[in-house]
Amino acid sequence: AVVSTQSTGKCEILHWVPISKNAHEQDFCSVNPKFVAVVAEQIGGGAFFVLKTERIGGIEPSSKISKHNGAVYDIKWSPFNDNLIGSASDDGLVRLWNITDERGVEANHAPVQTLQGHGKRVGGLLWHPSAENILASSSYDNTIRLWNAETAQEVSQLSSFTNQITDISFTMDGSQIGSTCKDKKLRIFDAHNGTIAMEGPGHENMKVSRLRMLKDGNILTAGFSSTAARCLRLYDPRNLTKVVNELAIDSATGSLFPYYDPDLNLVYLAGKGDASIKFFELSEGSVFYLNQYNSNNAQRGLGMMPKRGLDSSINEIARAYKLDVAKKMVNVIPLKVPRQSKSFCGGSISRHSRIRACSY
């Protein structure tokens, strides 16, 4: 199957967005059918912008939320409520914000909840795929905590890490949560009680690695080999000591961000500092390269539109919001399959897509 790309014109670009230059390893962008959120560059404290997806051209300073006392490290929209977004910060707090359709970001915008409990900076967020009010956060205090976003109460705590947690991923039903860590170990936890279900060796290099829990039960990781080459790996959770399949990517140094489409078994791979987005297919326990989108500008990160925000009438299977720090620009990149493609038809794109819980 061929995935084609369409570079956008100026009307599909957000200009003059002061994107954060912080070195923290997150994608700094979150998207849903209503809003685009981007972590902002700010001296003192932390901030992010919230813009309506139909907005074009420049941004308004009033669209910025700046209530954290430290740099913002991650932002994530709820998959169940397009008006609710979480933010994680260097100040050790997770804050939840309600953005109304009519007013957007308001003056002196206050959080609806503040989640307190981590002892150090909070580096990552992830909403539960099937429980509406459950949010996971990973911190430099070497714990993952699950929260009830409605009551601001901690539900469970996942520990046993000896170094920085670099990524977390829920299984499709949310019963387990996987993690990668700079201690070079791959862990799978029971999401209900926080106990370790399985543990094994991950990527040999201490550079940042990430993972996605796949619908077939396997685990996809993106990281670096012992020779510092970037690669994708597949693991069977029943035996994490063995790599099922490995695909070498290149020798570039930027960390890899994998975006997984469980409906089409595709992975979109963006490297920090790269100018390309590579497309891969997962099939029969292996990873296969398809093709890629190329540009002349390096990306800081990506935001991926959930399936329910795509236009299936034009065979759009994904839409990336690419952050260009140097040009202060967010470029919108539709990814499509040709209409004559027999591998992906319009029906398969929309009919088999999970509506609420599935996002890339």
Side-chain angles (χ1 to χ4, degrees), residues 67-69 74 76 78 84-97 110-128 132-139 141 143-157 168:
K67 295 292 185 179
H68 278 287
N69 294 323
D74 199 11
K76 289 289 190 301
S78 166
L84 182 65
I85 187 170
S87 59
S89 171
D90 183 76
D91 60 16
L93 301 176
V94 175
R95 297 188 188 273
L96 305 179
W97 314 83
V112 293
Q113 291 287 12
T114 297
L115 312 181
Q116 303 183 59
H118 282 296
K120 295 183 179 180
R121 65 184 67 172
V122 184
L125 294 176
L126 185 64
W127 290 92
H128 195 283
E132 183 170 354
N133 291 311
I134 301 300
L135 175 66
S137 60
S138 59
S139 168
D141 65 7
T143 68
I144 297 170
R145 302 182 189 227
L146 273 64
W147 308 86
N148 183 319
E150 187 173 15
T151 64
Q153 297 299 307
E154 182 178 312
V155 176
S156 64
Q157 183 178 142
I168 53 178

Side-chain angles (χ1 to χ4, degrees), residues 30-276:
S30 186
V31 187
N32 69 29
K34 291 182 180 180
F35 301 105
V36 181
V38 179
V39 177
E41 179 73 3
Q42 177 164 302
I43 299 175
F48 61 97
F49 287 96
V50 176
L51 311 165
K52 291 190 175 182
T53 51
E54 68 266 22
R55 183 172 182 83
I56 60 175
I59 64 171
E60 296 289 340
S62 60
S63 61
K64 183 167 70 172
I65 293 177
S66 53
K67 295 292 185 179
H68 278 287
N69 294 323
V72 172
Y73 287 149
D74 199 11
I75 46 177
K76 289 289 190 301
W77 291 105
S78 166
F80 295 94
N81 181 353
D82 286 342
N83 299 94
L84 182 65
I85 187 170
S87 59
S89 171
D90 183 76
D91 60 16
L93 301 176
V94 175
R95 297 188 188 273
L96 305 179
W97 314 83
N98 185 63
I99 312 297
T100 63
D101 294 342
E102 300 79 15
R103 297 185 297 274
V105 177
E106 301 179 70
N108 298 315
H109 206 107
V112 293
Q113 291 287 12
T114 297
L115 312 181
Q116 303 183 59
H118 282 296
K120 295 183 179 180
R121 65 184 67 172
V122 184
L125 294 176
L126 185 64
W127 290 92
H128 195 283
S130 58
E132 183 170 354
N133 291 311
I134 301 300
L135 175 66
S137 60
S138 59
S139 168
Y140 283 64
D141 65 7
N142 296 344
T143 68
I144 297 170
R145 302 182 189 227
L146 273 64
W147 308 86
N148 183 319
E150 187 173 15
T151 64
Q153 297 299 307
E154 182 178 312
V155 176
S156 64
Q157 183 178 142
L158 288 56
S159 56
S160 83
F161 300 98
T162 60
N163 207 323
Q164 178 190 341
I165 302 161
T166 57
D167 199 20
I168 53 178
S169 176
F170 280 106
T171 52
M172 298 289 287
D173 62 2
S175 62
Q176 294 183 322
I177 184 168
S179 66
T180 51
C181 180
K182 283 195 172 182
D183 63 12
K184 307 178 191 177
K185 289 186 178 181
L186 192 59
R187 296 177 176 88
I188 304 172
F189 293 86
D190 185 306
H192 300 291
N193 56 33
T195 59
I196 294 181
M198 190 67 67
E199 181 177 296
H203 288 261
E204 300 86 355
N205 197 293
M206 279 192 67
K207 289 185 177 181
V208 170
S209 60
R210 296 184 172 88
L211 83 163
R212 294 295 176 265
M213 308 294 277
L214 307 180
K215 70 176 182 180
D216 64 2
N218 286 334
I219 302 170
L220 174 78
T221 64
F224 296 81
S225 68
S226 58
T227 59
R230 300 198 296 189
C231 61
L232 291 174
R233 289 178 178 175
L234 284 176
Y235 290 86
D236 185 333
R238 296 168 297 184
N239 181 12
L240 294 180
T241 62
K242 180 181 179 181
V243 177
V244 175
N245 180 251
E246 179 172 325
L247 180 65
I249 306 298
D250 53 36
S251 57
T253 58
S255 62
L256 296 169
F257 294 94
Y259 302 90
Y260 172 51
D261 180 345
D263 302 307
L264 300 178
N265 280 326
L266 297 180
V267 174
Y268 308 97
L269 192 67
K272 183 179 177 181
D274 291 2
S276 65

